[in-house]
Amino acid sequence: MFHNINIQHGESSYFQIYNYIKEIIENGMLPMGSKLPSTREMASIMKVSRNTVMKVYEMLEDNALVYTEKGKGTFVSRIKINKNKEWHVDWTKKINDFGNKAEELDIMKHEQLYKRGMISFRSIAPDESLFDVEELKRAFLNRIALEGEKILNYGYARGYKYLIDYLMKYMEEKGVSTKGKEILITNGFTEGFDIILSSLTNRGDKILCENPTHNTAIKLMKLYGLDIVGVDMDEKGLDLAHLDEKLSEDIKLAYVIPSYHNPTGTVMSFEGREILYNKLKEYKIPIIEDGFNEELQHLGTHIAPLAAISGEENSIIYIGSLSKILFPGMRIGWIFADKKLIDICESVKRSRNIHTSFLDQAILYEYMNSGAFEKYVKKVRNIYKEKYELAKSLSEKYIPNVYVLGNGGLYIFVKLKDIDSRELLDRCLKRGVIFTPGDIFYTDGGGRDTLRIGFSRNSLEEINEGIKIIGEEASYIKGR
Amino acid sequence: MFHNINIQHGESSYFQIYNYIKEIIENGMLPMGSKLPSTREMASIMKVSRNTVMKVYEMLEDNALVYTEKGKGTFVSRIKINKNKEWHVDWTKKINDFGNKAEELDIMKHEQLYKRGMISFRSIAPDESLFDVEELKRAFLNRIALEGEKILNYGYARGYKYLIDYLMKYMEEKGVSTKGKEILITNGFTEGFDIILSSLTNRGDKILCENPTHNTAIKLMKLYGLDIVGVDMDEKGLDLAHLDEKLSEDIKLAYVIPSYHNPTGTVMSFEGREILYNKLKEYKIPIIEDGFNEELQHLGTHIAPLAAISGEENSIIYIGSLSKILFPGMRIGWIFADKKLIDICESVKRSRNIHTSFLDQAILYEYMNSGAFEKYVKKVRNIYKEKYELAKSLSEKYIPNVYVLGNGGLYIFVKLKDIDSRELLDRCLKRGVIFTPGDIFYTDGGGRDTLRIGFSRNSLEEINEGIKIIGEEASYIKGR
């Protein structure tokens, strides 16, 4: 029976042989106590080296399948039927509330409507065909040459020093005071926001935010059991009158996206930011500011972040991320805040996953520091601008809307005129077009008449065709 | 006053000029309403391009520092003193229990005793000078050539498909049944364990584990408010009689490290694993198995993991990691478990940080698949074996001990004879030697007479010198 084995090319032969012999023992084809061929004989039968057979026999012995009697040989020790099927754990019953909620809120999983060939406006990820892979390679090779093995071994939870220094300077250039502040590198914005909420909040705490807002942030706020206080937005941005209504002493934190808001794309004016900051300061509410990389912005506004407006005060927690235009797959972001808070966040980060990939941090640092980042931005800015202008003008023209928002960036936001966007989506799917219905961005079940169109990865032809289809279907629904 | 500016080489000049003008406005040196030089004049004064000045004026206007009257010029809009110091947040008061606990349990932060030049036996990280950086480069360049931009854009929470397929085969080769099981890629073992605990446990749940055990796991179990039920270990491994005493119906989960246990280095025999599995099965306690990369093991045991012994049953949650010998800085691990559990863990992972770096996963896959991993292991195996044998024999000889454990791997564990290891550490520090006191691995405050010596990154001379010093100091304490 040992002749029957068919050794597959590519897989370690000794594992195959081990598993083969193990199986025939377990199937009872080799009775307990029976003697196996000598290692020399077995090697000859199976046409492998004697060393390989010795290794197999050793492993069989380690796993108590055979035993060796010195001078006598190797014998089968027992028949084990290992196809246990007696205990089946129903894992769905073992998941706790947190796990169940995470699954329930996992939109990505539940909305698998995309099919190949469709024109998809769902993603707001950058267009990878524009990535400067050559420069990335250069960045990698340079860093590896300079620091080789160091960045491949364990690093520090706080992050890679050169990248931190670079980002501190980056914040300073935005007009932010770095006095008493520090940086923690995280796996993107998502991890940053997650760490902040887990360090500062308790279930039931009130958190104020824009309505609509970033859906991933909503998911996390719900996962942490927070009481979400949504402040309406209109075409100009945050509705400051509604903010006044919603402000109260017992709000723990605020979360806002002043620049290139997701999903509306609006940019809060300088005056608006000052008013917002001062109002929240009056109620002693610290603010989590979702930063945004402004370099891409072809419309050129460089309005100071709240973190700058606050001067030397320390109530702003700024979360930055380069995923939106750089290399999302590398998952690099940062929290910039008061050093005492960063200190705690560092400990939380360390307990969760030790640190963010040092290799990735090093590559990203080199890429940005070498000037490749600036070159890339210059290259893509106009390409995205063209797509943005086309998407905006087509939407305004063809989709029955109350308004179309977007100040640049990789998406626009449409408020429909008396049309349910989920119904619109259903019709568009049948015509091969998919977009993100806006209700997922609302904290209160609203926004059924809104949608976000992400065009960064679509050709101009697709933008043209896709938006016209959306327009036709929307007009049809409206006209009934 | 515009002549005074000193533009630094290397920093974007327009930011410098913007900040300079902003500051003199805020300092009141330019009264409200005063007119700025024309862009042409300013360009001449500062010796920069007119374009640069226009950009600066635009930014000043965006930030409400100046305003432009068409045909008339640009004027200072107001004097803002932005050095707010009125509101100082005491962040230490805002941290919740979880954040405080994470900081409290953060040993890394609290035990900064190492000084340059010391012989340090604290780390169990691999020796980076042995890393095959050339092969890593090759892996990176190959993957980038094949998939370039794709791996740089957003990936999937579950992980990079090729790596998952590779690891599934890897598990099969260990004799594990993959039927009904799936894999989730995580940021190392730590994230895997963190995700499991957050998906399955509630505060107060009982979790059974070895005592001593992996200190990071203890930290996480404490952070989740679990009731830790420790089972003693002796020189042979887990004390099965003590296990019998501790088993009870209300234990939620077990966490064990059957191969190359941290910190003791012990390897549980096949029979021991079967007994352990069946005892826990009797009480319906699922097991989190901390897998360990066995390829490094120079003493050659390949005993089947619990995940294999359990056959087609589904109560084992196997957490694997290649950090221990491969590239810890890249943070790649995996959870292998019942698909229903993996499904939940995937949602939790997505909510925490979307996914693990796809670039890193791709590089690691290429590196392992190309055979570079096997070559590396062959190379380092004997180097580590030599260090291990030296460390073990010296410790047995020079340190007054009850036993010295370690079946290979990158560390040994010493149970001292009537010596407090913290006192020993204090004395050794004065002589330039540092090690990890064993009490951090105990769940119940025990282990004051134990220590772990990690020698992977020490030369043979350092191992010789360092262990002799430990021995001398230990003998001194004992002899008093």
Side-chain angles (χ1 to χ4, degrees):
Chain A
M1 71 186 81
F2 300 114
H3 295 81
N4 291 340
I5 185 173
N6 188 10
I7 298 177
Q8 302 293 332
H9 175 72
E11 208 183 306
S12 333
S13 54
Y14 86 93
F15 264 127
Q16 291 181 58
I17 299 171
Y18 164 79
N19 280 321
Y20 182 82
I21 298 177
K22 174 173 178 282
E23 208 173 308
I24 60 182
I25 289 175
E26 287 175 348
N27 289 339
M29 284 155 74
L30 273 178
M32 201 160 75
S34 57
K35 186 174 184 296
L36 288 181
S38 74
T39 50
R40 188 170 284 121
E41 285 171 323
M42 188 67 101
S44 168
I45 293 168
M46 294 200 168
K47 300 186 182 25
V48 293
S49 73
R50 192 180 172 205
N51 250 343
T52 297
V53 177
M54 283 168 70
K55 205 169 173 183
V56 171
Y57 279 26
E58 221 176 272
M59 195 160 159
L60 287 165
E61 186 155 11
D62 283 339
N63 285 295
L65 287 157
V66 307
Y67 60 92
T68 302
E69 281 188 35
K70 217 177 163 104
K72 293 191 179 167
T74 303
F75 302 83
V76 176
S77 45
R78 57 178 148 152
I79 296 153
K80 269 184 353 308
I81 290 140
N82 221 3
K83 303 221 177 291
N84 292 333
K85 267 206 187 129
E86 305 152 17
W87 180 27
H88 183 82
V89 179
D90 182 358
W91 284 101
T92 55
K93 290 199 166 55
K94 291 197 172 288
I95 310 300
N96 63 13
D97 292 342
F98 180 83
N100 280 320
K101 200 155 186 120
E103 205 275 340
E104 192 189 303
L105 295 172
D106 193 352
I107 292 172
M108 193 65 120
K109 192 175 285 179
H110 301 304
E111 304 200 358
Q112 296 290 355
L113 304 161
Y114 174 75
K115 288 184 182 57
R116 263 183 163 270
M118 278 190 170
I119 294 174
S120 175
F121 293 128
R122 288 206 353 160
S123 174
I124 60 166
D127 180 358
E128 65 241 25
S129 71
L130 300 176
F131 286 166
D132 197 340
V133 182
E134 282 311 305
E135 280 293 344
L136 181 88
K137 273 163 71 172
R138 205 163 302 156
F140 169 84
L141 292 168
N142 283 349
R143 268 297 125 195
I144 283 282
L146 284 167
E147 296 189 279
E149 318 91 6
K150 268 222 294 270
I151 51 181
L152 296 170
N153 211 340
Y154 282 111
Y156 304 99
R158 188 63 74 87
Y160 177 66
K161 189 176 193 311
Y162 291 145
L163 179 62
I164 289 176
D165 291 347
Y166 182 93
L167 292 170
M168 283 294 257
K169 210 159 139 285
Y170 184 80
M171 295 303 291
E172 277 181 327
E173 286 185 359
K174 287 183 187 292
V176 177
S177 162
T178 57
K179 201 169 158 189
K181 313 280 187 352
E182 289 187 8
I183 277 178
L184 171 71
I185 303 295
T186 61
N187 295 332
F189 162 85
T190 305
E191 190 190 28
F193 193 63
D194 181 54
I195 288 175
I196 296 291
L197 293 189
S198 57
S199 308
L200 294 176
T201 68
N202 296 302
R203 300 192 79 74
D205 278 351
K206 286 193 159 88
I207 184 163
L208 182 132
C209 66
E210 292 143 322
N211 186 23
T213 191
H214 185 16
N215 56 308
T216 300
I218 294 176
K219 175 165 72 171
L220 279 166
M221 293 187 284
K222 284 182 175 175
L223 265 174
Y224 281 95
L226 303 182
D227 181 2
I228 305 173
V229 179
V231 178
D232 292 344
M233 291 184 83
D234 57 29
E235 57 232 83
K236 288 188 292 307
L238 194 70
D239 183 338
L240 293 170
H242 195 228
L243 172 64
D244 282 332
E245 275 178 57
K246 293 292 192 173
L247 278 172
S248 65
E249 293 278 329
D250 60 345
I251 291 174
K252 190 83 174 265
L253 279 171
Y255 163 69
V256 293
I257 317 168
S259 290
Y260 309 102
H261 179 267
N262 183 13
T264 67
T266 51
V267 176
M268 209 183 282
S269 69
F270 184 87
E271 289 81 6
R273 290 167 197 230
E274 273 202 316
I275 292 169
L276 173 65
Y277 180 73
N278 286 313
K279 278 184 191 277
L280 291 174
K281 177 172 167 175
E282 209 184 300
Y283 285 82
K284 300 270 178 283
I285 302 170
I287 307 171
I288 301 168
E289 178 175 20
D290 186 343
F292 197 98
N293 191 294
E294 287 143 317
E295 277 74 6
L296 186 61
Q297 298 329 319
H298 33 83
L299 293 171
T301 48
H302 287 279
I303 303 179
L306 294 171
I309 288 168
S310 62
E312 286 181 17
E313 292 188 336
N314 66 345
S315 64
I316 305 289
I317 306 165
Y318 181 97
I319 306 180
S321 159
L322 294 164
S323 298
K324 285 156 188 109
I325 64 153
L326 214 53
F327 303 115
M330 289 170 69
R331 319 291 317 117
I332 306 278
W334 69 96
I335 305 172
F336 171 93
D338 181 274
K339 65 160 56 141
K340 292 209 174 76
L341 176 58
I342 291 295
D343 193 51
I344 297 292
C345 292
E346 180 190 340
S347 291
V348 171
K349 165 86 178 165
R350 187 178 285 115
S351 71
R352 287 260 170 92
N353 53 53
I354 318 284
H355 63 74
T356 293
S357 166
F358 256 52
L359 177 64
D360 292 358
Q361 290 184 63
I363 295 173
L364 208 75
Y365 160 72
E366 183 74 24
Y367 181 84
M368 292 193 297
N369 196 46
S370 68
F373 176 41
E374 278 188 58
K375 271 196 286 175
Y376 164 77
V377 166
K378 280 199 170 89
K379 175 180 86 171
V380 303
R381 194 190 298 241
N382 290 328
I383 297 169
Y384 285 134
K385 179 175 181 177
E386 193 180 9
K387 293 187 184 186
Y388 163 75
E389 284 173 346
L390 180 64
K392 190 157 200 278
S393 59
L394 287 172
S395 299
E396 282 168 340
K397 183 170 178 184
Y398 291 104
I399 307 177
N401 67 87
V402 176
Y403 51 69
V404 175
L405 300 181
N407 271 308
L410 312 177
Y411 46 87
I412 52 170
F413 188 73
V414 181
K415 185 166 167 77
L416 299 160
K417 199 180 279 198
D418 309 319
I419 299 160
D420 180 283
S421 74
R422 291 269 174 184
E423 190 185 347
L424 176 58
L425 179 60
D426 281 342
R427 295 193 63 90
C428 290
L429 281 170
K430 295 192 181 88
R431 294 190 60 186
V433 175
I434 186 170
F435 54 79
T436 304
D439 57 83
I440 69 163
F441 303 106
Y442 281 76
T443 61
D444 57 2
R448 291 287 303 207
D449 56 353
T450 65
L451 62 136
R452 186 186 72 185
I453 294 174
F455 49 77
S456 50
R457 306 174 71 202
N458 304 98
S459 65
L460 297 170
E461 292 72 31
E462 285 184 331
I463 293 172
N464 193 40
E465 188 188 335
I467 292 181
K468 281 184 177 157
I469 287 172
I470 296 172
E472 282 168 23
E473 294 307 316
S475 301
Y476 174 84
I477 294 173
K478 196 170 193 319
R480 285 179 317 200
Chain B
M1 72 187 81
F2 300 115
H3 295 82
N4 289 341
I5 186 172
N6 188 10
I7 298 175
Q8 300 293 331
H9 174 71
E11 209 184 306
S12 335
S13 53
Y14 85 93
F15 263 126
Q16 291 181 58
I17 299 170
Y18 165 78
N19 280 320
Y20 181 81
I21 298 176
K22 174 174 176 285
E23 209 174 306
I24 59 180
I25 288 175
E26 288 176 346
N27 288 336
M29 284 156 73
L30 273 179
M32 201 162 72
S34 56
K35 185 173 183 298
L36 288 181
S38 72
T39 50
R40 186 169 286 120
E41 285 170 322
M42 189 67 103
S44 166
I45 292 169
M46 294 199 167
K47 298 185 180 29
V48 293
S49 72
R50 193 180 171 206
N51 250 345
T52 297
V53 177
M54 282 167 73
K55 206 168 171 186
V56 171
Y57 278 27
E58 222 177 89
M59 197 160 156
L60 287 166
E61 185 155 12
D62 284 337
N63 285 292
L65 288 158
V66 306
Y67 61 92
T68 303
E69 282 190 32
K70 215 171 164 109
K72 289 192 181 163
T74 303
F75 302 84
V76 175
S77 44
R78 56 179 149 151
I79 297 156
K80 265 181 359 309
I81 291 145
N82 221 5
K83 301 215 180 296
N84 290 334
K85 267 201 190 142
E86 306 151 18
W87 180 26
H88 184 82
V89 179
D90 182 356
W91 283 102
T92 55
K93 289 198 166 58
K94 290 197 173 286
I95 310 299
N96 63 13
D97 292 342
F98 179 83
N100 281 318
K101 201 157 188 117
E103 206 276 339
E104 191 189 303
L105 296 172
D106 193 353
I107 294 173
M108 193 63 121
K109 193 176 284 181
H110 301 305
E111 302 200 0
Q112 296 288 357
L113 304 162
Y114 175 75
K115 287 186 181 58
R116 263 181 164 270
M118 278 187 170
I119 294 174
S120 175
F121 292 128
R122 288 206 350 161
S123 174
I124 58 166
D127 180 357
E128 64 240 25
S129 70
L130 301 175
F131 287 167
D132 197 340
V133 182
E134 283 311 306
E135 281 293 344
L136 181 87
K137 274 163 70 171
R138 205 162 301 157
F140 169 84
L141 293 169
N142 284 349
R143 267 298 126 194
I144 284 279
L146 284 166
E147 294 187 282
E149 317 91 5
K150 266 219 296 269
I151 53 181
L152 296 171
N153 212 341
Y154 281 111
Y156 303 99
R158 189 62 74 88
Y160 177 66
K161 191 180 191 313
Y162 291 146
L163 179 62
I164 290 177
D165 291 346
Y166 182 93
L167 292 171
M168 283 294 258
K169 210 159 137 290
Y170 184 82
M171 295 304 291
E172 278 182 326
E173 286 185 356
K174 286 183 187 291
V176 177
S177 162
T178 57
K179 199 166 160 197
K181 314 278 187 351
E182 287 185 11
I183 278 178
L184 170 71
I185 304 294
T186 61
N187 296 332
F189 162 85
T190 305
E191 192 191 25
F193 194 65
D194 181 52
I195 287 175
I196 296 292
L197 293 189
S198 56
S199 307
L200 294 177
T201 68
N202 296 303
R203 298 192 81 75
D205 278 350
K206 285 192 159 88
I207 182 162
L208 184 132
C209 66
E210 293 143 323
N211 187 24
T213 191
H214 185 18
N215 56 308
T216 300
I218 294 176
K219 175 165 73 172
L220 279 166
M221 293 187 282
K222 285 183 174 175
L223 265 173
Y224 280 95
L226 304 181
D227 182 1
I228 304 174
V229 179
V231 178
D232 292 344
M233 291 183 83
D234 57 30
E235 57 231 83
K236 289 189 288 306
L238 194 71
D239 182 340
L240 292 169
H242 197 227
L243 172 64
D244 282 332
E245 275 178 56
K246 294 291 192 172
L247 278 171
S248 65
E249 294 277 329
D250 61 345
I251 291 175
K252 190 84 173 266
L253 280 170
Y255 163 69
V256 294
I257 317 170
S259 290
Y260 310 103
H261 179 266
N262 182 13
T264 66
T266 50
V267 175
M268 209 182 283
S269 70
F270 183 86
E271 289 81 5
R273 290 167 198 230
E274 272 203 316
I275 292 169
L276 173 66
Y277 179 72
N278 287 314
K279 279 186 192 272
L280 290 175
K281 177 172 167 175
E282 209 184 300
Y283 284 82
K284 301 272 177 283
I285 301 170
I287 308 171
I288 301 168
E289 178 174 18
D290 186 343
F292 197 97
N293 190 291
E294 289 143 316
E295 277 73 7
L296 185 63
Q297 296 331 317
H298 33 84
L299 293 171
T301 46
H302 287 279
I303 303 178
L306 295 171
I309 288 169
S310 62
E312 285 180 18
E313 292 187 336
N314 66 345
S315 65
I316 305 289
I317 306 164
Y318 182 98
I319 306 181
S321 161
L322 294 163
S323 297
K324 285 156 188 109
I325 65 153
L326 214 53
F327 303 115
M330 289 169 72
R331 318 293 316 118
I332 306 279
W334 68 95
I335 305 172
F336 171 92
D338 180 274
K339 63 158 58 137
K340 293 210 175 75
L341 175 59
I342 292 294
D343 193 52
I344 297 292
C345 291
E346 179 190 341
S347 292
V348 172
K349 166 83 179 167
R350 187 178 286 115
S351 71
R352 286 260 171 91
N353 53 54
I354 317 284
H355 62 74
T356 293
S357 166
F358 256 51
L359 178 64
D360 292 358
Q361 291 184 61
I363 295 173
L364 209 77
Y365 160 71
E366 183 73 25
Y367 181 85
M368 292 192 298
N369 197 46
S370 69
F373 177 39
E374 279 188 56
K375 268 196 287 172
Y376 164 77
V377 167
K378 280 200 172 83
K379 176 179 87 169
V380 303
R381 194 190 298 241
N382 289 328
I383 297 170
Y384 285 133
K385 179 176 181 176
E386 191 180 10
K387 293 187 185 189
Y388 163 76
E389 285 173 347
L390 180 64
K392 190 158 199 281
S393 60
L394 288 172
S395 299
E396 282 168 339
K397 183 170 176 182
Y398 291 105
I399 307 177
N401 68 86
V402 176
Y403 52 69
V404 175
L405 301 180
N407 271 311
L410 311 177
Y411 46 88
I412 53 171
F413 188 73
V414 181
K415 185 169 169 75
L416 299 161
K417 199 178 278 196
D418 309 318
I419 299 160
D420 180 283
S421 75
R422 291 270 174 184
E423 191 186 344
L424 176 59
L425 178 60
D426 282 342
R427 295 193 64 89
C428 290
L429 281 169
K430 295 193 182 85
R431 294 190 59 187
V433 174
I434 186 170
F435 54 79
T436 303
D439 58 82
I440 70 166
F441 304 105
Y442 281 77
T443 61
D444 57 2
R448 291 287 302 206
D449 55 353
T450 65
L451 63 135
R452 185 186 73 184
I453 294 175
F455 49 77
S456 52
R457 305 174 71 203
N458 304 98
S459 65
L460 296 170
E461 292 71 33
E462 284 183 334
I463 293 171
N464 192 38
E465 187 187 335
I467 292 180
K468 281 184 177 156
I469 287 172
I470 296 173
E472 281 167 24
E473 294 307 317
S475 300
Y476 174 84
I477 293 173
K478 196 171 191 320
R480 283 179 319 202

